[in-house]
Amino acid sequence: MTVAYRHHDAPALSEPLRNALGMTRPLMLEIIDKACRRFHSLGQTERTARLMRLIDAEAWADAALALMELELPLWHIRRIAYDEGEWHCALSRERELPDWLDAAVEGCHGDLALALLSAFVEVQALAVEAPRPSVPNVRPAPDPLYEPAACENFS
């Protein structure tokens, strides 16, 4: 069975995450169904089976981390912090950069798993909004009247 990637509306997924009091199996499966394309394309592998075992065990934070590892291999957790009753999670592609140079994506919630998944959904929304071409960009051919000239005298 082939499952096509479904374009999701980020606010439609962000809202249930923001309003949830805690993670539930139906909410996790909805996120997988609507925001994940690698999970469906991998079929039954050890990585997807591990994720499903974590969901069955209700190990929500571990399941969120496993889902991010599976779906966002180029993204890393930059920061997880707990402040005034909320978890703050920042994901980044360049976590070695200073904070002020990095374009991290953040999520926050009173529940750690929901904070992680909020950031995950935001990253997935960015990936949908800014698709990359499958073929690299090529510079246009130079003007036929343009001819490079050497300026050094080696005599």
Side-chain angles (χ1 to χ4, degrees), residues 91-154:
L91 301 178
S92 171
R93 289 185 72 154
E94 304 292 335
R95 69 176 173 192
E96 302 304 322
L97 289 176
D99 278 346
W100 59 276
L101 281 177
D102 190 20
V105 176
E106 297 195 27
C108 62
H109 197 279
D111 182 87
L112 176 58
L114 292 170
L116 291 166
L117 288 171
S118 293
F120 169 78
V121 166
E122 293 302 317
V123 170
Q124 290 292 67
L126 287 174
V128 169
E129 290 173 9
R132 294 187 179 151
S134 60
V135 178
N137 292 336
V138 178
R139 290 186 210 156
D143 184 352
L145 298 177
Y146 172 78
E147 189 173 319
C151 299
E152 298 195 28
N153 185 357
F154 294 107

Side-chain angles (χ1 to χ4, degrees), residues 21-39:
L21 297 176
M23 180 53 72
T24 62
R25 181 182 177 84
L27 182 56
M28 178 65 95
L29 295 178
E30 180 182 3
I31 291 166
I32 290 171
D33 186 49
K34 291 185 177 177
C36 299
R37 60 183 147 185
R38 295 187 79 196
F39 181 86

Side-chain angles (χ1 to χ4, degrees), residues 77-93:
I77 293 178
R78 179 175 184 84
R79 180 179 59 256
I80 296 177
Y82 185 76
D83 185 32
E84 296 184 12
E86 279 199 330
W87 288 98
H88 298 267
C89 174
L91 301 178
S92 171
R93 289 185 72 154

